[in-house]
Amino acid sequence: MKKFILVLSVLCLCFSCSKTLDHTINYTITHSEDHSSLNIKMTFQANENGQTTLLFQDKAWGQDSLHNVIHDIKVLSEQAEITTNRDSGWYVISHPKNLDQIEVEYAINQDSKGDLKTRQAYRPIIQPQYFHLFSHNFFMLPKHVLKQSEDSFNVNISWSDFPEDYKLVNSFGSGEHLQIIEGISEEKFHTAVFVGGDFRAHEININGNKVVFANRGDWEVFEDSEMLSILEKTVTAQREFWQDNSQKYYVVTMIPTVQERGSSFQGSGLTNSFATNASNNEYLEVSGLVYLFNHELQHNWIGSLIRNDDEEKQYWFSEGFTDYYTLKNIAKNEIYNYDESYFINEFNAFVKALYTNPEREMPNSEMTYENFWSGKEGIQKLPYRRGAFLAFYLDQKIKQDSDGTKSLDDVMLDFKNDAEKTEQKITHAYFIKTVNKYLKEDFQPFFTKHIEEGKLFDFKSIYNELAFEYEPTSKVFDLGFTFSEDRKQIASIDENSEAYKAGLRQGDSVKGMSYYYDSIDHEAEFTIEREGKEVLVKYLPIKEVDLPKLLDNDFNKSHLDF
């Protein structure tokens, strides 16, 4: 029976190839003998003009110099030569005009060294035990095939000579050594995750649809079963909210990273999947992973189906509204036994983070790809927190104006329906037009002031307007000083701060530092040099400010009306 299935699969592959050969790309993947690289052989229809261009991005997702991972590239077709143009992100093959097919071979190697850190997780990882790659830094694509197919091409992937016990999981299937992907776009194919090796692939059935959790490593703070339960509840709740059970297959991948102190985690919403990594140590908290799973799974709709017209300019929506619905989804469905108290406490933390953000009043027009990925403190989280507060305000304002008959949920479903029917994207004009259907007054002035111009929200007035109960002040994160531009000196210091009380002074040279950004529960530590001597200074980076804090009480919980 197994032989029959294999033969049938091969026949299906051949049929698919013959049907639209010029729009089909075939890949055969093998391991090198020492498992230090993945070898890729690709075949496709040659460009009839005698010059074929292959796409391989050199810069993507905050990474650059991705061409460093490619080795031993060569064209196997006769009378064909290949040249590299790293700056443009292309390889160019010159060949006879009458050439039918081109066959190219290359290897992908890991170019990062040492223990896997969070910042390296977006580059190819190829180890003897496993591999973890994203398709944009794995598979080359012929430019003319994308153009001639009108960005709807076919991909066949053969995983050759991989052992039966070697797990193969990716955005397009699990445990499949032969994969046929039809009518896919460049964006969807190049936004995928591919893993293999010593992963544990757990399958969940949700309303007849397959969800796979592919995890590896021995985690210190959780068992796989715990994460599976969180994943199942999250997927079920979100699909019920969006009234969407159309996704027949979905995969979540998770790999451990190394971090000596503190914890970190991150994830990326991808085609039929999301990929995540987290520091595997005692400091990792499951609550953070609950947030991560819910946030990234929301991107199946917000950011993927409901798309931004100008990516960075609408991050306040794709990330901020995702953050709000992350908290709301967890609390409403009591995922990991969290309820409205969780929402209130986490939302207060969002507000604090926005209030203390050094870039909190940056105009939306200045949010670009370059500064978002620049690493400058505060910028990357600004649209998350700004957009989350806007979503909270709108949710409660719509309920107030409609006497509880409508909410932001209705607006989100409108966005979804419009995206499905007309491929409508989020623009500022479309956003205002849609929310105005549910409000008594034009939302444009509020939006212009707080999103487009970036002015900080008047939190007290808003809580009064929405009739929430709050404490008038909050304790917030405050380093108490500003760094010099190169972060090697203390440029200025607040003499009323905890930093000053602990002994830090303007002009001190900073030799070492350790602190949790936005956390008032962990001591900040700075090793500074003064008059030729090194001194260790510790203090809690905290101050009390006139920032209202929602009360975690029965009135506010019922007022949220989840």
Side-chain angles (χ1 to χ4, degrees):
M1 186 64 180
K2 288 184 178 178
K3 289 183 179 179
F4 173 74
I5 293 172
L6 178 60
V7 171
L8 181 61
S9 298
V10 172
L11 287 174
C12 289
L13 174 59
C14 294
F15 177 72
S16 174
C17 291
S18 63
K19 189 166 58 173
T20 52
L21 183 62
D22 53 339
H23 297 163
T24 298
I25 310 165
N26 300 296
Y27 299 97
T28 300
I29 317 296
T30 58
H31 246 146
S32 63
E33 288 186 10
D34 62 357
H35 284 209
S36 65
S37 66
L38 289 176
N39 301 321
I40 300 95
K41 183 182 289 186
M42 62 182 296
T43 59
F44 53 90
Q45 190 79 18
N47 193 0
E48 60 184 12
N49 69 5
Q51 189 172 82
T52 294
T53 304
L54 297 178
L55 164 66
F56 192 90
Q57 294 167 277
D58 194 51
K59 181 183 291 187
W61 300 9
Q63 304 293 312
D64 55 25
S65 302
L66 287 171
H67 274 88
N68 291 343
V69 306
I70 296 179
H71 295 272
D72 303 325
I73 184 168
K74 55 187 174 183
V75 184
L76 302 182
S77 308
E78 293 183 4
Q79 297 179 292
E81 295 182 354
I82 189 166
T83 56
T84 306
N85 188 334
R86 293 172 62 106
D87 294 334
S88 68
W90 299 107
Y91 287 86
V92 178
I93 303 170
S94 300
H95 55 83
K97 291 184 178 181
N98 61 354
L99 186 64
D100 182 25
Q101 280 198 330
I102 291 181
E103 192 171 30
V104 177
E105 208 172 54
Y106 61 96
I108 297 289
N109 289 39
Q110 178 175 329
D111 66 340
S112 53
K113 307 296 182 183
D115 293 332
L116 179 64
K117 303 292 180 65
T118 299
R119 68 178 60 183
Q120 300 164 339
Y122 284 111
R123 303 187 78 83
I125 303 164
I126 304 173
Q127 294 290 315
Q129 301 84 9
Y130 77 105
F131 68 79
H132 178 284
L133 300 98
F134 296 101
S135 47
H136 68 273
N137 53 40
F138 188 10
F139 294 106
M140 294 185 182
L141 290 173
K143 184 178 180 181
H144 71 283
V145 171
L146 309 186
K147 183 177 180 180
Q148 292 171 5
S149 69
E150 297 180 343
D151 202 24
S152 180
F153 54 94
N154 306 321
V155 174
N156 299 317
I157 304 175
S158 173
W159 301 89
S160 179
D161 298 328
F162 286 85
E164 286 297 322
D165 62 347
Y166 195 97
K167 297 293 184 184
L168 291 170
V169 182
N170 56 62
S171 298
F172 306 104
S174 174
E176 300 174 6
H177 285 247
L178 181 63
Q179 296 182 279
I180 301 172
I181 306 164
E182 295 185 328
I184 195 164
S185 66
E186 176 190 354
E187 181 180 12
K188 285 190 176 294
F189 183 66
H190 256 184
T191 311
V193 63
F194 288 79
V195 304
D198 61 354
F199 282 83
R200 301 180 294 278
H202 306 281
E203 291 188 12
I204 312 170
N205 185 294
I206 299 177
N207 292 323
N209 296 331
K210 182 178 178 181
V211 176
V212 177
F213 178 49
N215 185 24
R216 70 172 304 274
D218 297 320
W219 294 87
E220 291 192 30
V221 299
F222 66 81
E223 299 290 336
D224 284 8
S225 58
E226 190 173 20
M227 299 310 300
L228 276 170
S229 175
I230 292 168
L231 180 60
E232 183 172 12
K233 290 180 179 178
T234 298
V235 173
T236 301
Q238 291 191 7
R239 290 181 178 179
E240 286 179 357
F241 170 78
W242 290 104
Q243 302 168 19
D244 185 1
N245 276 289
S246 62
Q247 207 160 18
K248 300 300 180 184
Y249 171 81
Y250 194 84
V251 65
V252 176
T253 65
M254 191 169 187
I255 57 173
T257 58
V258 175
Q259 187 167 319
E260 292 182 7
R261 303 186 63 182
S263 65
S264 64
F265 54 82
Q266 62 183 10
S268 295
L270 308 165
T271 302
N272 305 325
S273 57
F274 90 83
T276 181
N277 63 79
S279 52
N280 185 15
N281 58 27
E282 61 182 313
Y283 305 108
L284 181 66
E285 296 179 348
V286 175
S287 60
L289 299 178
V290 173
Y291 160 83
L292 179 65
F293 273 35
N294 276 269
H295 180 98
E296 294 302 335
L297 285 164
Q298 282 287 359
H299 279 313
N300 272 315
W301 296 274
I302 308 174
S304 180
L305 174 61
I306 309 168
R307 303 179 62 188
N308 295 344
D309 182 63
D310 186 335
E311 188 63 16
E312 290 79 23
K313 299 300 184 293
Q314 276 92 45
Y315 273 161
W316 58 266
F317 175 78
S318 60
E319 295 298 353
F321 277 50
T322 295
D323 248 2
Y324 176 71
Y325 273 94
T326 293
L327 301 189
K328 185 174 179 178
N329 183 67
I330 292 169
K332 183 176 181 178
N333 296 283
E334 298 187 352
I335 297 173
Y336 203 56
N337 295 321
Y338 289 142
D339 57 13
E340 289 87 353
S341 290
Y342 167 85
F343 177 91
I344 290 170
N345 291 324
E346 291 298 310
F347 186 73
N348 281 332
F350 280 9
V351 173
K352 286 181 183 181
L354 178 58
Y355 180 86
T356 58
N357 192 315
E359 303 294 333
R360 67 187 188 185
E361 293 199 328
M362 186 180 85
N364 190 66
S365 60
E366 294 180 14
M367 183 62 64
T368 63
Y369 174 90
E370 286 73 21
N371 64 23
F372 184 79
W373 291 103
S374 68
K376 187 176 180 181
E377 200 165 82
I379 286 183
Q380 201 166 61
K381 282 300 181 184
L382 177 61
Y384 288 70
R385 305 308 181 229
R386 181 183 280 171
F389 192 86
L390 180 74
F392 166 79
Y393 175 71
L394 264 177
D395 200 8
Q396 301 306 317
K397 187 64 177 171
I398 291 171
K399 290 176 186 177
Q400 190 179 71
D401 283 5
S402 65
D403 295 324
T405 62
K406 299 292 181 181
S407 72
L408 184 60
D409 296 0
D410 297 283
V411 177
M412 301 305 287
L413 289 174
D414 281 354
F415 290 155
K416 171 180 174 283
N417 293 334
D418 288 348
E420 288 176 328
K421 292 176 182 177
T422 66
E423 298 185 358
Q424 173 69 53
K425 294 183 178 180
I426 296 295
T427 65
H428 291 180
Y430 166 70
F431 179 83
I432 295 298
K433 179 181 178 181
T434 307
V435 299
N436 272 349
K437 293 189 299 183
Y438 297 89
L439 295 171
K440 292 179 178 179
E441 296 181 1
D442 183 14
F443 193 62
Q444 182 69 64
F446 186 94
F447 182 86
T448 299
K449 179 178 180 180
H450 298 295
I451 298 300
E452 293 181 337
E453 295 176 0
K455 302 300 182 184
L456 190 65
F457 299 100
D458 185 340
F459 301 107
K460 184 177 180 180
S461 294
I462 288 173
Y463 289 159
N464 287 334
E465 177 187 358
L466 300 175
F468 278 94
E469 295 181 350
Y470 58 86
E471 292 179 5
T473 62
S474 298
K475 292 180 179 178
V476 300
F477 177 85
D478 177 45
L479 275 182
F481 67 87
T482 60
F483 284 105
S484 59
E485 190 171 341
D486 60 7
R487 295 178 65 85
K488 292 182 179 180
Q489 275 194 319
I490 294 177
S492 63
I493 190 164
D494 178 0
E495 294 187 1
N496 296 314
S497 68
E498 296 299 315
Y500 190 87
K501 294 174 186 176
L504 290 182
R505 295 293 182 267
Q506 182 177 348
D508 284 344
S509 296
V510 180
K511 298 299 182 182
M513 69 182 83
S514 174
Y515 65 92
Y516 291 75
Y517 184 66
D518 280 350
S519 173
I520 61 175
D521 300 318
H522 298 87
E523 277 193 324
E525 298 182 8
F526 293 91
T527 301
I528 57 101
E529 183 180 279
R530 187 186 304 145
E531 297 177 355
K533 295 182 180 180
E534 289 192 356
V535 180
L536 178 63
V537 177
K538 299 181 181 182
Y539 64 95
L540 277 176
I542 190 171
K543 70 176 179 180
E544 190 162 351
V545 296
D546 292 328
L547 175 66
K549 176 183 177 182
L550 289 179
L551 292 173
D552 181 9
N553 60 19
D554 290 340
F555 175 82
N556 279 350
K557 289 179 184 179
S558 63
H559 199 48
L560 285 170
D561 191 27
F562 287 165

